[in-house]
Amino acid sequence: MAKKKRIKQQNFTIERDEVTISEATEQKYKKILRSMSWIVGICFTLIIILPLFNNQTLDSLTRILFFIGILNLFIFTLLEFIGDAIKRQLEKMNGVAK
């Protein structure tokens, strides 16, 4: 018969500095994300509609809107991933401004 290995259970505690995020900071963060999502939506809607008019000026405007939309979408995604750090930074900025 094979020997049974005994595994010791160790309780690890992770201590983190919990920074309390105020409601005003949460609202500001949500407002930033909401406005960015609206910008992305409007840009890509216009990107779909404007080329249908076959105008050279609108084509260059469509290109600019595309780059604005892509950049905004990238920043929006990044903000979603590092949301806690952004909230803490906003909290620090609000604390200094008060």
Side-chain angles (χ1 to χ4, degrees):
M1 271 208 234
K3 290 184 180 180
K4 291 184 180 179
K5 293 183 180 180
R6 291 187 184 176
I7 299 174
K8 291 183 181 179
Q9 289 184 343
Q10 297 176 354
N11 294 332
F12 293 106
T13 58
I14 300 173
E15 295 180 20
R16 293 173 42 186
D17 279 341
E18 291 295 326
V19 177
T20 57
I21 306 296
S22 67
E23 192 64 34
T25 304
E26 280 287 336
Q27 293 300 322
K28 188 180 286 188
Y29 178 74
K30 287 180 182 180
K31 187 181 282 188
I32 290 169
L33 290 183
R34 190 177 312 122
S35 63
M36 289 180 77
S37 66
W38 271 98
I39 291 171
V40 170
I42 290 170
C43 281
F44 287 117
T45 302
L46 289 175
I47 288 169
I48 293 170
I49 294 172
L50 289 180
L52 298 175
F53 293 109
N54 292 329
N55 187 347
Q56 186 66 26
T57 308
L58 290 179
D59 288 343
S60 61
L61 179 65
T62 304
R63 178 175 287 161
I64 292 169
L65 285 174
F66 174 75
F67 289 123
I68 290 172
I70 288 292
L71 181 66
N72 208 347
L73 184 62
F74 177 70
I75 294 170
F76 179 78
T77 306
L78 191 65
L79 285 179
E80 282 290 330
F81 281 126
I82 58 169
D84 292 334
I86 298 297
K87 288 178 190 176
R88 279 186 259 135
Q89 190 67 27
L90 283 174
E91 188 68 29
K92 286 180 187 176
M93 287 172 36
N94 284 344
V96 171
K98 288 183 179 178

